[in-house]
Structure formats: structure tokens, C-alpha cells
Amino acid sequence: MCGIIGYIGKSDATGILIKGLKDLEYRGYDSGGIAVLNKNRLNIVKAKGEIRYLEEKLGKNSISGSPGIGHTRWATHGKANEINAHPHCSKHFAVVHNGIIENYKEIKESLSMNGITFESETDTEVIPKLLELNYNGDVLHAIKKTVKLLEGSYALGILCTDNEQSFYCTKKGSPLIIGVGEDENFIASDVNPLLHYTRKAIYLEDGETAEITADKITVFNSSFSKIEKEIKTIQLDKSSADKGSFEHFMLKEIYEEPAVVKNSLNAVTDDGEVVFSDMPFSADDFRQLNRVYIVGCGSAYHVGLIAKYNFEKVAKVPAFAEYAGEFRYADAVIDENCLVIIISQSGETADSLAALKQAKEMGAKTISIVNVPESSIAKMSHYNILTLAGAEVAVATTKAFSCQLCVLNMLCLYIARQRNACTEVFSEIAVNMSCLLPKKIEKMLLKTEELKRLAKEMKDIEKCFFLGRNVDFGVSLEGALKLKEISYIDCAGYPASELKHGTISLIEKGTVCFGLISNNELLPKTVSNLTEVTARGAKVIVFAPESLAENLAQFETVITFPDSIPFLTPSIEVIPLQLLAYYVAYERNLPIDKPRNLAKSVTVE
Ligand code: M6R
């Protein structure tokens, strides 16, 4: 969480920093702040809340200069107020930080005993104070001594008043990218803010530090010896980071789904076959698998839960979906015949990264499915599959979810074939049917008006339930998460059969229950569970494929979606739930792309 940015060059840093912070705002929007150097003086402006408030304040107290650093915060230590906003300072230094300093209390205590005072409640403030203490006129020396004392994770941007020709950055466990420009250079927590100026980037590794001037970037390893770093080309399409004519990124991203699902599938299929080039694991490795863990957080976990059923049914291997934050502390039995698949849009989620690290150390084979190339998870896993969703900005994931699910299903087919667990014919049909998914999603999008009407009816409800069995249970959890995170309605997903084991006591006249039925096999049982809640006064709304509609006449509202094979149906079934969540939040006039308390990339435990 938190986003950091830095600039040095011929232009005034202020505007560039604000523009960059807006691009990074999805990482947290509790407060923003910038510091720029001008005639060796630090000029600092901070504001509580979204970056537009910082911009407003800058309108009144304009500052200018270069270099400069900026920060958008997702509060971890200390309230979301101006005092706790970054940059934090000492006499010579201003610092912006993404991460958590775990031993800040000990450092703060020992610095306080030496008469050093603190203004904020943050963990970050110990960093400028330590830099000051270690400063003998050589900034790199101060950084070297300071980072040795820090436990936890950090990506830091650092200004020093004695040196207006440079600024500095260093990282451990949090992302940091240097943008290489013409007579100007940048740092940022992700590539989006860089795309306005350059496509050339240096990806810092943990333990590396850089001194950056307008025309030179010098990188040092953890022993502070100079190293050469490759300048890479950023592949991301800039238009993804733009809202275009849509009112919100979330709606734009839903409408991008047909195209990005197509791209993601094309990248892993060829002429009816699944192809993963340079896969490091052999058919023998896959045959010997004793278990597959699919690990992620939030929606990424739901992708795993939906696909787990396919792994068991089609690839005939015991499969478990796990929350990354639980998995890492669960003492899971892992050996070299385990495959651990990590799903993550950002590739930086702290729990998922820790789970991956642990699984790898325990000897598991690891594969990641991520949307951000060069992200920590992509780099750490034995094999990475890139989803081609493009930059996803809305906090509520939609297009990345859909790409993850399609690609994971293709991986399942690939593994099934390697294990000879499914026939070539099934695999070919599944691949060919998957190629039709983009068209079917497009068709589903034509139902927007119907879902808008439903959203209007539902806008004032206080609670609701999403019920489904098997894969539909996974989709239920995703439908509930999508709705609750942006509409703040209290909703939960349950296996359809579970409600009567306690939760049914919450059903009263008019309680909304969404029933999810993706295939014929699941229909009779789920229908009987939905009838149970109807009998207790619930208002039931069913989502089902077109071909099953005639069996659902007893329900007042049935939203249909195009048919597919059960292996793939959840990829279509989830679309109306995404649209419904969007329009309910819209009707409630809420900040859809930036729901309260959330951040897009959760880089803390
Ligand atoms: O970047 P990741 O995919 O690892 O993020 C995982 C979750 O934080 C994410 O899916 C979250 O649940 C979304 N806000 C859901 O819409």
C-alpha cells in the first residue's frame, strides 16, 4: 500500500509529482504530500484525503523546484491526518516510504532517549531521523548505515538539502521502479506514472540503492558497490491507465473484459492446444503431483476456489484453494510433489508473496499467475504466466479476475493433458469453447440495462446473500465481495446448502438472496435451497444460463447469461455480478473506484 514518486530534471517537479500521485492513488488515499527542493530548502505541502485535496492546497501555497518526492498514503501506523502524512523530515532529509518498519518502536525509543523528538505516530519518521544521525556529509553513507537498522519492508524516496543535483531511492520488499528519461529521471511504485514520460525503466531489486541526477542513474548493491543494471522497455499500454469516456475505471474495465480475456487466452493457446512455452516442469513432474494448492487473497482466492473444482474433476489431482494469509501460517504439508499456484493481479500482495516464498523454500514447485510483469511474485516463482488484462485501476478487480480464471483453467487443462487425466478431445473442445468466451461476455454486457434496473430496485437494501454450490459457491463469494466492497451493503456468499445450518435465521421478509446456478447438475439441489429461503420470505434473484431458464419459472427474477460448458461457465456468470455491484454503488452515489479504507495493492500483512 502507499504509492511513492520522485522526479529530477529540467521541469518543475510539483506538477509531475501530483500527476504521478493521481496515477498511484489506487494504492491508498488517506493523505498525500510532496517535498521539493528549491535553493537547498525543503518545501513541503501535505493534505488529508485524496490527492485532489493536496492539489487544492497547492493552488493556494504554490511551491516549485526540482528534485521532488511525493506520497499517497494508506494508513498503517497512526491516523489518517496531515501530521502523519508523508514526507517525513529531519534537518537535512525528507523521506517518502511505502512499506512497514517493523522495529520502529525500538528505534524510536532509543532515539528518544538521545533527545530526538518525533511529530507523527508513523513508523516512517524514524527513517529521516536515522539518516540525520548517520549523516556526515555523505548521503550514501547515511543511507547505508540507516537501512542496516531497518527491519520490515520499504521503498524509499529521499531528498537531502545539501544536494540539489540528486535524489536517492532504495528498496526491500516493496516495489520501486526508476523511469529513465531524457535529461530527467523518475521513480515510482509502479510503471503507470512513468508512462507519461518514458518507456525505459530500471527495476530495482531488494537491497539496491540508487543515486539519481537529471542525466545519470547510479545503482549500488547491498554492499554499496556500483553495479550495472539493464534498462528494460515497459510493455504496458498507456491507454489502460486512462478512463476514456467512462465515468469510472471499474465500468471501463468491465467493458474491456472481452478484449483482455481474448488476449490472455491467445497467449496460452494455439490451434486448439494449450501452450506454455519454457515450462520448467516435465510431464513426469505433473504426473507425480500429490496435491495442488491455489493461493491468493480476496478475489484471487475466489479464482482459486472456482478452479479447484476443475483441477479435481479434470486434472484428477487433489486441489485446495487457500487464503494466502492463512496458508503461510498453516504448517501445510508441502514437498517437492506439491504444486503451489499463486494468483495475484498486482504481483505484490504481501501475504501471497510470503506464501510463495515459504512454499518455494519447502521444495514445492511454484507457478504464478500475475498481471504485472517484473512484479515480485512474477520474479520469485519458478514459472510465471502473465495475464494480459492491462493496468487495472479500480480497487474492485474485474478484468484481472476474469483473465486469471481463464488462464488458470488453461493451466488446469495443460496439467490434465500432461497427466493423461483428460482426453485430447475434451481438452480440444474446452480450448475451442474458451475462444468463444469473449463473444459470450460481450453478449452479457448487452444486458446492462436490465442490471441497471435491478440495481435501482436494490439500492436501499441493508443485507443480502449470494448462494451457490461447487463452482457457484466460488462465484457467490466473488459476487458478495464485489458488492460489499463498493456499495458497503452487508453481504455474504455461502454454499447454498449451508444457510440452514444457522444463517437462515437472518432471513426475513424481503431479504435479498441471489441464487447462482451454472449448470444442470447443480440445478435441482440449489433450486431446493432457494425454495427454502423463499418460504421464509426472501426475495430470490437467480442467475443462470439461458438453457436452464425454463426450469426456473417459479422465481420472480431470473437473469440469464449465454451457455457454455460447465468447465468455463463461471467466467460468464461473474459478469452480471460485477455489473450489478457497479450499478448498486452508482445508485448509492459512492466513490466506486476508491472505496473507503481500501487500497488496490495490499503490500502489508
Ligand atoms: O493484487 P492481488 O490480486 O494479489 O490482490 C488481492 C486482493 O487484494 C484483491 O483481489 C481484492 O480482494 C480486490 N479488492 C477485490 O476486488
Side-chain angles (χ1 to χ4, degrees):
M1 353 274 272
C2 299
I4 69 168
I5 179 110
Y7 172 79
I8 188 162
K10 51 194 181 291
S11 306
D12 171 28
T14 317
I16 293 169
L17 297 177
I18 292 294
K19 192 169 177 180
L21 288 177
K22 284 187 176 167
D23 287 335
L24 292 173
E25 219 176 354
Y26 72 88
R27 303 176 70 89
Y29 28 85
D30 286 332
S31 65
I34 61 168
V36 293
L37 269 176
N38 197 335
K39 303 203 175 76
N40 296 92
R41 276 175 56 95
L42 279 172
N43 295 294
I44 296 176
V45 178
K46 303 179 185 188
K48 185 180 168 196
E50 294 173 24
I51 298 304
R52 63 194 160 110
Y53 298 112
L54 176 66
E55 200 175 16
E56 252 172 56
K57 209 164 165 190
L58 276 163
K60 292 178 203 137
N61 316 287
S62 89
I63 58 170
S64 62
S66 166
I69 53 175
H71 188 266
T72 184
R73 177 168 187 245
W74 188 84
T76 57
H77 296 70
K79 287 181 229 42
N81 59 25
E82 211 171 297
I83 296 181
N84 291 328
H86 299 213
H88 289 286
C89 299
S90 54
K91 187 172 167 217
H92 291 92
F93 293 95
V95 171
V96 288
H97 168 214
N98 168 29
I100 287 187
I101 304 304
E102 285 162 4
N103 59 340
Y104 84 102
K105 277 196 182 138
E106 294 95 292
I107 299 177
K108 208 167 174 175
E109 230 170 77
S110 82
L111 291 177
S112 301
M113 278 180 348
N114 285 306
I116 294 169
T117 54
F118 291 84
E119 282 173 18
S120 75
E121 305 158 290
T122 65
D123 53 333
T124 302
E125 200 182 350
V126 299
I127 302 171
K129 307 290 184 201
L130 281 174
L131 287 168
E132 197 65 50
L133 202 69
N134 292 316
Y135 185 50
N136 60 4
D138 178 352
V139 182
L140 283 169
H141 169 83
I143 296 175
K144 184 176 177 182
K145 300 268 282 184
T146 298
V147 294
K148 260 195 192 146
L149 300 171
L150 303 179
E151 282 169 21
S153 59
Y154 51 82
L156 303 176
I158 302 168
L159 293 181
C160 175
T161 53
D162 284 346
N163 190 353
E164 211 166 288
Q165 303 314 315
S166 325
F167 77 108
Y168 302 82
C169 63
T170 184
K171 76 157 237 136
K172 187 187 135 202
S174 299
L176 189 60
I177 301 153
I178 302 175
V180 184
E182 291 290 324
D183 296 324
E184 56 181 0
N185 289 309
F186 310 80
I187 60 165
S189 297
D190 78 28
V191 295
N192 289 321
L194 307 178
L195 291 173
H196 304 291
Y197 313 98
T198 181
R199 290 204 157 257
K200 291 197 270 176
I202 295 174
Y203 292 86
L204 280 198
E205 297 295 333
D206 282 356
E208 291 177 351
T209 299
E211 177 174 12
I212 303 172
T213 69
D215 54 12
K216 195 167 167 209
I217 296 163
T218 317
V219 182
F220 304 88
N221 63 15
S222 52
S223 325
F224 281 74
S225 310
K226 274 189 202 169
I227 52 170
E228 288 301 318
K229 292 282 289 184
E230 186 188 347
I231 298 180
K232 297 193 173 173
T233 305
I234 303 169
Q235 301 295 352
L236 205 64
D237 172 16
K238 192 168 154 211
S239 67
S240 307
D242 205 299
K243 237 185 319 196
S245 58
F246 288 89
E247 201 170 337
H248 295 99
F249 276 106
M250 183 174 172
L251 191 60
K252 175 188 175 238
E253 288 161 3
I254 293 174
Y255 272 82
E256 281 172 356
E257 287 184 67
V260 296
V261 162
K262 189 172 176 185
N263 292 346
S264 297
L265 284 168
N266 281 348
V268 297
T269 54
D270 184 23
D271 200 15
E273 266 192 62
V274 186
V275 186
F276 288 111
S277 48
D278 303 323
M279 171 65 77
F281 308 125
S282 64
D284 251 6
D285 290 333
F286 285 119
R287 269 196 289 273
Q288 280 162 27
L289 288 182
N290 53 27
R291 154 173 38 126
V292 173
Y293 289 109
I294 314 171
V295 182
C297 299
S299 295
Y301 163 76
H302 301 154
V303 169
L305 186 58
I306 297 165
K308 151 212 150 70
Y309 295 99
N310 283 343
F311 272 83
E312 300 204 312
K313 206 172 192 156
V314 178
K316 308 273 187 291
V317 56
F320 307 87
E322 301 281 345
Y323 286 112
E326 290 296 309
F327 183 70
R328 59 185 291 200
Y329 297 114
D331 297 320
V333 181
I334 290 178
D335 59 28
E336 69 282 6
N337 291 324
C338 277
L339 172 65
V340 175
I341 304 172
I342 305 281
I343 315 283
S344 174
Q345 186 283 130
S346 60
E348 300 294 348
T349 300
D351 281 326
S352 307
L353 184 62
L356 167 62
K357 192 165 176 236
Q358 200 182 80
K360 217 176 151 188
E361 278 165 10
M362 291 172 81
K365 299 178 170 55
T366 60
I367 296 180
S368 58
I369 297 181
V370 307
N371 195 42
V372 179
E374 304 289 340
S375 58
S376 305
I377 292 175
K379 285 196 271 194
M380 188 184 285
S381 54
H382 292 113
Y383 186 71
N384 178 58
I385 306 166
L386 198 64
T387 46
L388 300 177
E392 192 180 62
V393 178
V395 163
T397 181
T398 52
K399 60 174 182 170
F401 174 94
S402 290
C403 291
Q404 288 162 352
L405 186 56
C406 292
V407 166
L408 185 55
N409 278 335
M410 292 305 108
L411 179 64
C412 169
L413 274 184
Y414 179 85
I415 293 175
R417 288 300 300 136
Q418 300 288 305
R419 290 166 63 83
N420 286 327
C422 78
T423 62
E424 208 176 321
V425 175
F426 174 83
S427 162
E428 202 168 310
I429 291 174
V431 172
N432 288 334
M433 289 300 286
S434 77
C435 295
L436 301 179
L437 279 178
K439 280 266 165 272
K440 291 177 192 237
I441 296 174
E442 231 166 60
K443 199 168 161 208
M444 191 63 234
L445 293 175
L446 297 176
K447 293 223 164 171
T448 295
E449 288 307 318
E450 192 179 342
L451 291 157
K452 257 192 207 172
R453 277 196 299 277
L454 184 59
K456 272 202 173 86
E457 278 171 37
M458 285 190 46
K459 75 176 183 13
D460 294 321
I461 63 168
E462 284 170 8
K463 64 168 186 253
C464 65
F465 297 96
F466 287 75
L467 307 173
R469 286 167 174 264
N470 197 271
V471 288
D472 295 335
F473 167 49
V475 181
S476 299
L477 291 184
E478 179 58 10
L481 178 61
K482 214 81 311 170
L483 184 59
K484 79 176 93 167
E485 74 179 320
I486 59 169
S487 73
Y488 313 152
I489 292 171
D490 190 353
C491 41
Y494 277 94
S497 57
E498 262 300 302
L499 222 53
K500 59 179 165 291
H501 296 286
T503 313
I504 202 163
S505 63
L506 292 175
I507 303 286
E508 333 170 72
K509 188 161 185 296
T511 305
V512 171
C513 289
F514 296 103
L516 302 176
I517 304 173
S518 63
N519 65 66
N520 209 6
E521 223 175 278
L522 303 170
L523 183 122
K525 299 291 173 195
T526 305
V527 164
S528 97
N529 299 134
L530 295 177
T531 313
E532 287 157 12
V533 291
T534 312
R536 281 150 186 93
K539 178 178 165 51
V540 171
I541 297 156
V542 186
F543 291 82
E546 282 152 7
S547 63
L548 298 186
E550 58 186 4
N551 306 303
L552 298 165
Q554 71 203 85
F555 299 106
E556 204 179 296
T557 313
V558 179
I559 310 276
T560 57
F561 49 82
D563 284 79
S564 182
I565 52 170
F567 184 75
L568 299 170
T569 308
S571 288
I572 313 168
E573 190 181 22
V574 74
I575 307 294
L577 303 185
Q578 296 173 346
L579 282 168
L580 182 70
Y582 173 82
Y583 283 111
V584 172
Y586 188 88
E587 287 298 325
R588 289 164 78 99
N589 203 14
L590 291 168
I592 295 180
D593 287 335
K594 288 182 242 160
R596 69 182 175 210
N597 303 336
L598 285 168
K600 178 96 184 139
S601 179
V602 184
T603 53
V604 294
E605 250 196 77

